[in-house]
Amino acid sequence: MHQNNVPLVSVVMPVYNGERYLTEAIESILTQQYSNFELLILDNGSTDSTPDLLARFARVDSRIRLLHEPKPFGYGGEVASNVAARQAKGAFIAKLDADDVAMPDRLIKQVNYLISNPDVFLVGSQLILIDETGQVTGKRDYPVTHEEIYSQFYLKFPIANPAVMFRNILKEDMYQIKFPHFNDYYSLFRLIHTGYRMHNLPEALTAYRIHTTNTVFTNLRAKWSSNVMIKQAFVREFGYSAPWIHRLKIAAITQVINLFPERMLLKIMNKARQLINA
């Protein structure tokens, strides 16, 4: 599918030392059913073979645009995503991390949804969970409707940031950098609170890879502290009223995190979140 009358999609992919999974991530975009896209890959100071891999891909597919920043920005790729998105030419911007995999129909389904729903700013999806070898280990479910998404924002991040597509209409950066971690969580709430409608498709359109070097799963106690600070900002800055049961669940998770040693937290946290659906 490559026609002049279909909108261009800019796929933004920040990468830092991503040689292990980068090929699979890139190929999952190049083989999309929807072909009218540009793939903006920002190499943020990689010191492994990432630059060579990117150069080889760019030589054989003109839809790839390579960007380079010599010093890592940090912040989980959010600053790098902002920098890349400023160069986007598409009507829509899609996110994909360099260790994840897009399903072949991801772009076409999200484009069709945004075209059919002009009042919606951002569309996400459910997630398939995969391990280091690409084997499916589970699924992560997200609320579908705008109202459900808003109501669950205090309890959890109800949008899978690596699976979003949104309209290229913002006059400022998508991700506002205010906290040590999870500025995507804060930024999307800020947008939805100010009237930007959001929706999650019921299908799992992205495979999210869980592995030992995934930044989400390191330094967990400090990251949970950022998570709680962001939730408090929802209340303080925006007057968000969280259901008491959601506040109780977050307090319970916080107690668990403060009780156990850091090395045990990942397994315990995942189990606790499953049990209380947070």
Side-chain angles (χ1 to χ4, degrees):
M1 182 178 183
H2 193 149
Q3 306 169 17
N4 291 331
N5 62 342
V6 296
L8 179 69
V9 175
S10 298
V11 181
V12 168
M13 181 185 295
V15 58
Y16 170 71
N17 286 349
E19 61 183 5
R20 186 174 181 184
Y21 306 113
L22 182 60
T23 293
E24 192 175 358
I26 293 175
E27 288 179 345
S28 77
I29 296 299
L30 299 183
T31 56
Q32 287 289 303
Q33 296 172 9
Y34 189 94
S35 61
N36 192 25
F37 64 81
E38 60 173 359
L39 176 53
L40 293 171
I41 308 177
L42 189 147
D43 176 20
N44 193 198
S46 295
T47 56
D48 61 1
S49 65
T50 290
D52 294 333
L53 277 171
L54 294 178
R56 288 201 294 272
F57 273 107
R59 283 195 294 268
V60 299
D61 199 311
S62 61
R63 294 172 297 180
I64 296 176
R65 293 172 57 198
L66 299 183
L67 307 172
H68 178 71
E69 291 288 343
K71 294 183 179 180
F73 291 124
Y75 291 101
E78 292 152 2
V79 176
S81 293
N82 283 339
V83 172
R86 293 171 200 158
Q87 304 297 317
K89 299 177 181 178
F92 303 135
I93 296 175
K95 282 288 306 295
L96 186 71
D97 290 336
D99 51 359
D100 296 335
V101 179
M103 300 298 104
D105 57 350
R106 175 187 161 180
L107 295 187
I108 192 169
K109 285 186 173 179
Q110 291 184 311
V111 166
N112 286 342
Y113 183 85
L114 289 175
I115 290 174
S116 300
N117 296 272
D119 62 323
V120 174
F121 165 70
L122 176 149
V123 62
S125 77
Q126 315 303 305
L127 288 183
I128 294 171
L129 304 180
I130 58 175
D131 64 15
E132 296 179 344
T133 67
Q135 295 298 307
V136 175
T137 60
K139 183 182 177 184
R140 190 169 292 172
D141 296 321
Y142 294 87
V144 172
T145 69
H146 175 85
E147 290 73 21
E148 290 170 330
I149 290 169
Y150 185 79
S151 70
Q152 293 190 31
F153 244 105
Y154 187 91
L155 179 63
K156 58 186 178 182
F157 194 175
I159 295 170
N161 187 54
V164 300
M165 180 183 289
F166 55 94
R167 299 180 189 277
N168 190 8
I169 59 173
L170 295 178
K171 303 302 182 184
E172 58 185 353
D173 287 336
M174 175 72 157
Y175 302 111
Q176 302 295 303
I177 309 302
K178 291 189 62 173
F179 299 90
H181 311 284
F182 306 134
N183 288 285
D184 52 350
Y185 183 32
Y186 172 82
S187 299
L188 265 63
F189 179 83
R190 175 175 171 269
L191 289 171
I192 197 172
H193 179 79
T194 53
Y196 288 87
R197 293 190 65 81
M198 301 182 187
H199 182 89
N200 284 319
L201 295 177
E203 306 99 320
L205 299 179
T206 296
Y208 179 72
R209 194 184 304 271
I210 297 176
H211 54 92
T212 55
T213 56
N214 190 310
T215 57
V216 173
F217 304 110
T218 59
N219 200 15
L220 289 174
R221 188 168 282 114
K223 288 178 178 174
W224 183 256
S225 177
S226 286
N227 187 303
V228 172
M229 284 193 294
I230 291 168
K231 297 176 192 301
Q232 292 170 346
F234 295 166
V235 176
R236 183 179 63 255
E237 295 181 26
F238 304 106
Y240 186 77
S241 179
W244 70 267
I245 189 63
H246 291 183
R247 298 196 302 270
L248 182 62
K249 289 180 177 182
I250 295 306
I253 293 176
T254 302
Q255 288 294 322
V256 169
I257 289 173
N258 290 334
L259 183 62
F260 291 94
E262 180 86 18
R263 67 181 182 276
M264 300 174 60
L265 285 180
L266 178 57
K267 185 174 181 179
I268 294 170
M269 276 185 65
N270 284 339
K271 179 60 67 175
R273 294 180 71 169
Q274 290 172 11
L275 289 173
I276 63 176
N277 189 30

